[in-house]
Amino acid sequence: MKIWLASKWDELRANFWFVPSVMVSGAVALSLATIRLDKATASRNWIATLGWTFTRGPEGSRAVLSTVAGSMMTITSITFSITIVALQLASSQFGPRLLRNFMRDRGNQVALGTFIATFAYCLLILRTINGTDTELFVPHISVTVGLLMALFSLGVLIFFIHHAAESIQAENVIAAVSRDLRQAIDRLYPDGQGDDARESSAGGQQALPADFERSSRPIAAPSSDYLQAIDVDGLVNLANDRDLIISVVNRPGEFIFEGSDLVRIWPGDRVDDDLNNAVLGAFYFGRQRTLAQDVGFAIDQLVEVAVRALSPGVNDPFTAINCVDRLGAALCVLGAKEMPPDFRLDDDGRLRVVTDSSTASGIINASFHQIRQAARGDAAVTIRLLEAIAAIAGRTRDPDFLAALRRHADMIHRGSLEGLPEKSDREDADDRYRRALDALDASGLSREVGDQV
């Protein structure tokens, strides 16, 4: 249930209608409250004598509210136009996959909601103003609140223009993606997995039935979509209740083809329609990847920005270096954590679920492969990659992590020897390569082990 709510909340955050809709609903409730207050105080003359309230007659009140409502619609149109232009620039400069980050931006959503809510409030107050001979009613408090909302909207407009200009700057885009990546790492790789994780994994490996492949039965994926999240705890409880072992074939972030194996159940003769539906209920699919359980999604976003910056048509190594710095900072945090176990046990220590977790080698490959290939002939980015590896090596003692870093350091060094035409650039790259090796050695990885990788 928790994962389902998190998935739905992420979907709501990634659209332009949710926050404005909530704000318009609030404006409707506010209009009803202020009108009721005006009617309750209509017979008291002291309202009109207050200096901070709007004390004009019916025609003046209508004119003011009509002007505010019309101006709000104009501002809303301009805001939408600026937003669309920002999305076009972001798509061409950073890649279409980063559009979701712009759509999730709370500042843009609040700005649109403020203008639309002010417009809706003014319309609702306009309908209550009555200036006929038989009935005279001017909601002084409501009109005053409308004027205050208009003044607040002007401040929001100034903020929105500044925010839109900031949001398309490369440094801010990269910092926002890096922040999402850091939050995903802290959430998916909590501290304290350590020895318990390794013991659980080792115990589960010994308990895996010898006839698992022969006696297990698959459950097929219901559709062709991206796997966004898996309720592993739900699968463990289900396997415990049915006395099963469930092997998850894919990990979040992968594209699943309809009819392909999603899980394998042992023993296979216990699979029925109820179990099939219960297992499928623990998997969440969508049209695109999310950060719910997929750290690689944010890594791929940073890599995409870096690769685009290194393309011949853009040729912006400074943006690529910024991406390498952010990736290096995230990997420094990740290197100090333990990878989650592939084997999940129940309270009695019996194996229940086998997952396909991300590995240190896979994460580092996703972070460095494409940037290394694109930066083969760029001395500045090559040097920064080697410096990042040296920094990461000093923050981890995981032998798999260190081995993957050594492998990439070797590939970057070989690429610099072949791709950099200037001798001085090759010497600088060679110097950073030796520093990276020293950092790897200091972290416990010998050069002999690295040579075997």
Side-chain angles (χ1 to χ4, degrees):
M1 186 63 178
K2 182 179 179 181
I3 296 178
W4 181 85
L5 291 175
S7 177
K8 293 302 179 183
W9 175 244
D10 188 71
E11 290 180 8
L12 290 176
R13 287 188 60 195
N15 59 65
F16 279 136
W17 63 263
F18 176 67
V19 172
S21 297
V22 172
M23 297 182 71
V24 169
S25 300
V28 172
L30 179 62
S31 68
L32 296 176
T34 56
I35 289 298
R36 186 169 183 176
L37 180 62
D38 274 310
K39 289 181 177 180
T41 58
S43 60
R44 304 177 186 179
N45 295 328
W46 61 269
I47 292 294
T49 62
L50 294 177
W52 52 268
T53 58
F54 185 84
T55 57
R56 300 291 180 180
E59 295 301 325
S61 298
R62 290 195 189 98
V64 168
L65 291 178
S66 299
T67 301
V68 172
S71 62
M72 287 301 105
M73 287 308 297
T74 302
I75 292 175
T76 301
S77 301
I78 295 173
T79 302
F80 272 109
S81 300
I82 294 175
T83 301
I84 294 302
V85 170
L87 291 177
Q88 290 176 339
L89 290 174
S91 177
S92 60
Q93 183 176 358
F94 306 115
R97 275 151 295 279
L98 267 73
L99 289 183
R100 183 178 177 87
N101 296 59
F102 285 87
M103 294 182 66
R104 295 173 67 232
D105 188 279
R106 191 56 54 84
N108 295 338
Q109 297 173 0
V110 170
L112 292 173
T114 300
F115 304 144
I116 298 175
T118 303
F119 170 77
Y121 177 87
C122 292
L123 282 185
L124 294 174
I125 300 302
L126 267 172
R127 69 182 178 85
T128 65
I129 299 176
N130 198 332
T132 63
D133 295 335
T134 58
E135 182 180 358
L136 177 64
F137 177 69
V138 179
H140 298 290
I141 297 177
S142 299
V143 175
T144 302
V145 171
L147 288 175
L148 293 176
M149 292 178 67
L151 293 176
F152 178 75
S153 297
L154 291 178
V156 173
L157 176 62
I158 296 172
F159 158 78
F160 174 76
I161 294 174
H162 172 75
H163 182 72
E166 274 197 330
S167 63
I168 60 176
Q169 296 180 19
E171 293 83 359
N172 294 329
V173 173
I174 295 170
V177 177
S178 176
R179 183 171 57 252
D180 291 341
L181 174 57
R182 175 61 186 272
Q183 293 173 353
I185 291 174
D186 291 338
R187 183 179 69 254
L188 299 177
Y189 302 93
D191 295 329
Q193 294 184 126
D195 296 334
D196 292 338
R198 285 191 293 269
E199 291 174 1
S200 297
S201 180
Q205 181 67 50
Q206 295 174 359
L208 193 64
D211 64 339
F212 181 85
E213 291 296 330
R214 184 178 65 258
S215 301
S216 61
R217 178 177 171 183
I219 291 180
S223 61
S224 296
D225 273 314
Y226 283 100
L227 178 58
Q228 295 179 338
I230 304 173
D231 184 4
V232 178
D233 292 334
L235 289 177
V236 172
N237 293 333
L238 178 63
N240 188 36
D241 294 338
R242 301 286 190 97
D243 194 18
L244 305 170
I245 296 178
I246 302 175
S247 176
V248 181
V249 178
N250 305 99
R251 67 170 66 105
E254 295 183 348
F255 187 84
I256 310 299
F257 293 94
E258 182 178 359
S260 62
D261 290 353
L262 190 63
V263 301
R264 298 193 67 88
I265 307 294
W266 183 92
D269 55 7
R270 298 181 186 177
V271 177
D272 53 24
D273 292 339
D274 291 339
L275 179 61
N276 185 87
N277 294 332
V279 169
L280 293 180
F283 291 80
Y284 300 88
F285 298 90
R287 296 188 302 272
Q288 53 194 356
R289 298 169 65 183
T290 68
L291 279 171
Q293 294 181 355
D294 182 15
V295 169
F297 180 51
I299 291 176
D300 289 347
Q301 287 182 319
L302 289 174
V303 170
E304 180 178 7
V305 175
V307 172
R308 280 177 173 267
L310 291 171
S311 64
V314 179
N315 193 22
D316 182 12
F318 295 102
T319 297
I321 289 174
N322 198 340
C323 292
V324 172
D325 291 339
R326 295 293 183 175
L327 284 169
L331 292 176
C332 283
V333 175
L334 187 59
K337 297 179 178 291
E338 293 287 347
M339 294 293 104
D342 288 336
F343 295 85
R344 297 291 297 272
L345 313 179
D346 61 14
D347 295 337
D348 297 328
R350 293 174 296 182
L351 176 64
R352 290 306 180 191
V353 175
V354 182
T355 60
D356 183 18
S357 303
S358 299
T359 63
S361 177
I363 292 174
I364 293 175
N365 288 343
S367 301
F368 288 146
H369 260 323
Q370 294 188 57
I371 300 179
R372 172 185 59 79
Q373 295 162 0
R376 186 182 181 88
D378 192 297
V381 180
T382 296
I383 290 172
R384 182 62 90 186
L385 284 170
L386 292 170
E387 291 174 344
I389 289 175
I392 299 167
R395 300 292 296 274
T396 183
R397 294 296 183 269
D398 188 333
D400 294 335
F401 223 91
L402 293 170
L405 289 174
R406 172 60 192 263
R407 177 169 172 266
H408 278 274
D410 291 340
M411 289 189 292
I412 293 170
H413 182 245
R414 289 195 297 268
S416 67
L417 296 178
E418 299 172 2
L420 298 179
E422 173 57 45
K423 180 181 178 181
S424 297
D425 291 338
R426 293 195 299 270
E427 292 175 350
D428 290 338
D430 186 69
D431 176 67
R432 300 308 193 282
Y433 171 65
R434 296 185 182 280
R435 295 184 186 181
L437 294 186
D438 292 339
L440 290 167
D441 291 340
S443 297
L445 182 68
S446 68
R447 298 192 181 188
E448 289 76 18
V449 171
D451 291 337
Q452 298 174 6
V453 176

